[in-house]
């Protein structure tokens, strides 16, 4: 039996520095493709994740807006892995939808029907009529907000009572639930929001149709992309990132011919996987500083993070449900966290000392990001202890 190669934490960090956190990308589409998908639960994350990786970050906000909302719009938002909102490239979207989005959409529809039946006595026929009305209004032209859609589609103005008779009984509008489910099914899609680029008050438009993909083929394509960006990783890492069953993960790994390597994880030795032929050492690029936003794909790429983010720093950088806050990177490891003061100044705190060169490079990166944000203050949707402390300093 061939002896599998051992990949050290230092080699994994070199891969991260080269593939995930380095500057050099020409535009938002290249950044998104290199990371497989951008976390988009917090709209600002998409913009700042791209900004951190562009060779020429000046004008990054406008470039991302054009990529998301322009006439060509090579990027699209999609509810996918772990029932999380992501931004993916349109050519990857069919695989992501078939592998992760469609099963989630089916579950969302089931929950919506139960919500409508319990709260208002409405059935699937009523819902179908409402959805067809939404599609007709949007097909007539223009991009409309949820409020504008509700003015044109009477069914969206209906309300339901939830938890009837209980102390926490409440009345809810049906509009947001119907619209979100239609988006999950790729019938409508999010377009340019009202307000600033960091707003989540999206307008809606008809979605571009997606090519059909067999689920097994789609899962293999997603795993192939993930291994190319984040490999090596364990079965547990992939199961966590995709939200699939272990059986589905193993089937996809076999389909792509993934090769095994040895890893040292926080819980001891483990089997990792890489793409065929990707077992060799990765030459580390010159170390560079990077300020990545909350929920950035890099720190959220694996379940086990001990090899690039020591356990003793987790309490400062994560919230109680596992969402990562803004992180400071030097090379392929997390060395601190950052936040914004009331006047928009980006400040950071060192958690791991990597010398004067690293500290000066981070200071420069923070000053440059402050200038590019131009006074716009970003508050992460999921706030973490260190970010809160820095923001209030």
């Amino acid at each position: 039996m061939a002896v599998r190669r051992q990949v050290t934490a230092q080699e994994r960090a070199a891969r991260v520095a080269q593939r995930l956190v380095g500057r050099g990308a020409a535009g938002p589409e290249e950044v998104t493709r290199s990371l497989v998908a951008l976390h988009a639960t917090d709209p600002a994350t998409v913009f700042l994740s791209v900004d951190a990786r562009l060779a020429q970050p000046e004008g990054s906000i406008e470039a991302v807006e054009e990529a998301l909302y322009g006439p060509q719009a090579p990027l699209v938002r999609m509810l996918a892995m772990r029932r999380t909102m992501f931004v993916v490239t349109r050519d990857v979207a069919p695989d992501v939808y078939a592998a992760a989005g469609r099963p989630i959409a089916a579950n969302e529809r089931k929950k919506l029907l139960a919500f409508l039946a319990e709260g208002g006595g409405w059935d699937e026929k009523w819902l179908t009529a409402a959805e067809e009305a939404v599609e007709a209004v949007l097909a007539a032209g223009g991009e409309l907000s949820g409020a504008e859609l509700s003015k044109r589609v009477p069914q969206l103005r209906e309300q339901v009572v939830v938890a009837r008779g209980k102390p926490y009984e409440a009345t809810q509008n049906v509009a947001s639930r119907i619209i979100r489910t239609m988006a999950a099914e790729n019938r409508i899609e999010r377009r340019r929001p009202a307000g600033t680029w960091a707003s989540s008050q999206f307008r809606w438009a008809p979605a571009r149709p997606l090519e059909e993909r067999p689920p097994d083929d789609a899962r293999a394509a997603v795993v192939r992309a993930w291994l190319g960006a984040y490999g090596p990783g364990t079965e547990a890492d992939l199961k966590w990132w995709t939200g699939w069953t272990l059986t589905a993960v193993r089937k996809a790994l076999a389909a792509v011919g993934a090769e095994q390597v040895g890893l040292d994880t926080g819980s001891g030795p483990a089997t990792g996987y890489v793409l065929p032929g990707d077992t060799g050492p990765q030459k580390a690029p010159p170390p560079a500083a990077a300020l990545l936003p909350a929920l950035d794909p890099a720190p959220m790429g694996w379940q086990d993070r001990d090899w690039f983010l020591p356990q003793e720093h987790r309490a400062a950088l994560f919230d109680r449900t596992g969402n990562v806050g803004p992180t400071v990177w030097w090379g392929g490891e997390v060395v601190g966290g950052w936040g914004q003061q009331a006047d928009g100044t980006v400040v950071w705190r060192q958690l791991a000392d990597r010398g004067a060169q690293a500290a000066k490079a981070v200071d420069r990166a923070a000053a440059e990001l402050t200038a590019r944000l131009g006074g716009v203050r970003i508050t992460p949707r999921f706030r973490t202890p260190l970010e809160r402390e820095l923001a209030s300093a």
Side-chain angles (χ1 to χ4, degrees), residues 339-364:
Q340 274 185 293
Q341 296 179 326
D343 63 356
T345 300
V346 174
V347 293
W348 72 288
R349 179 174 299 168
Q350 178 177 278
L351 298 176
D353 187 354
R354 294 298 178 263
Q357 178 189 1
K360 290 179 180 178
V362 176
D363 286 340
R364 286 195 299 272

Side-chain angles (χ1 to χ4, degrees), residues 27-337:
E29 188 174 1
E30 183 180 341
V31 172
T32 306
R33 193 180 306 281
S34 71
L35 295 166
V36 185
L38 302 177
H39 276 261
T41 303
D42 191 334
T45 297
V46 176
F47 289 84
L48 298 181
S49 290
V50 170
D51 178 89
R53 294 169 171 92
L54 292 179
Q56 301 295 330
E58 294 74 15
S60 65
I61 302 301
E62 294 79 6
V64 174
E65 288 185 309
E66 181 67 17
L68 282 169
Y69 313 125
Q72 303 305 316
L75 304 182
V76 62
R77 282 183 169 84
M78 179 175 292
L79 191 66
M81 289 73 69
R82 307 189 310 280
R83 198 179 170 272
T84 297
M85 189 63 63
F86 287 94
V87 164
V88 298
T89 58
R90 291 211 182 249
D91 61 319
V92 169
D95 287 317
V96 172
Y97 182 70
R102 183 182 286 118
I104 291 170
N107 192 48
E108 291 299 301
R109 172 159 292 274
K110 182 179 178 180
K111 291 190 295 184
L112 174 59
L113 285 168
F115 170 77
L116 294 173
E118 179 182 353
W122 297 300
D123 59 11
E124 189 167 7
K125 182 179 179 180
W126 183 92
L127 175 58
T128 298
E131 291 170 330
E132 289 176 350
V134 169
E135 290 177 322
V137 168
L138 291 177
E143 300 174 358
L144 299 175
S145 68
E148 290 168 332
L149 277 171
S150 293
K151 290 180 181 178
R152 291 164 172 80
V153 179
Q155 293 96 322
L156 296 184
R157 297 196 293 272
E158 297 285 2
Q159 296 181 320
V160 300
V161 177
V162 296
R164 189 184 298 274
K166 296 182 179 180
Y168 46 90
E169 177 182 305
T171 301
Q172 296 181 1
N173 295 325
V174 303
S176 61
R177 292 285 294 267
I178 293 174
I179 290 170
R180 289 202 307 268
T181 299
M182 292 181 69
E185 294 175 332
N186 195 54
R187 298 169 68 176
I188 61 177
E189 67 180 39
R190 293 163 177 82
R191 302 294 289 169
R192 191 183 301 273
T196 72
W197 52 270
S199 169
S200 59
Q201 300 300 310
F202 295 105
R203 296 180 176 91
W204 301 92
R208 298 185 196 176
L210 296 175
E211 294 181 13
E212 289 291 328
R213 295 280 199 275
D216 285 348
D217 292 351
R219 284 190 287 267
V222 170
V223 166
R224 187 178 297 111
W226 186 90
L227 289 175
Y230 299 91
T234 64
E235 291 177 344
D237 289 329
L238 258 173
K239 180 177 182 295
W240 175 82
W241 190 85
T242 59
W244 303 339
T245 65
L246 188 56
T247 297
V249 167
R250 287 172 173 168
K251 188 173 183 179
L253 285 169
V256 303
E259 296 186 27
Q260 294 185 358
V261 295
L263 298 177
D264 290 322
T265 70
S267 56
T271 298
Y273 294 86
V274 294
L275 287 176
D278 193 28
T279 58
Q282 174 79 57
K283 183 179 179 181
L291 273 61
L292 303 186
L295 296 177
D296 184 85
M300 296 295 286
W302 304 265
Q303 184 181 48
D304 176 71
R305 304 178 177 97
D306 291 352
W307 54 277
F308 69 89
L309 200 168
Q311 280 283 348
E312 57 264 32
H313 302 329
R314 295 285 293 274
L317 296 173
F318 285 77
D319 71 8
R320 293 181 179 179
T321 57
N323 298 301
V324 71
T327 51
V328 175
W329 293 66
W330 177 247
E333 64 173 334
V334 174
V335 298

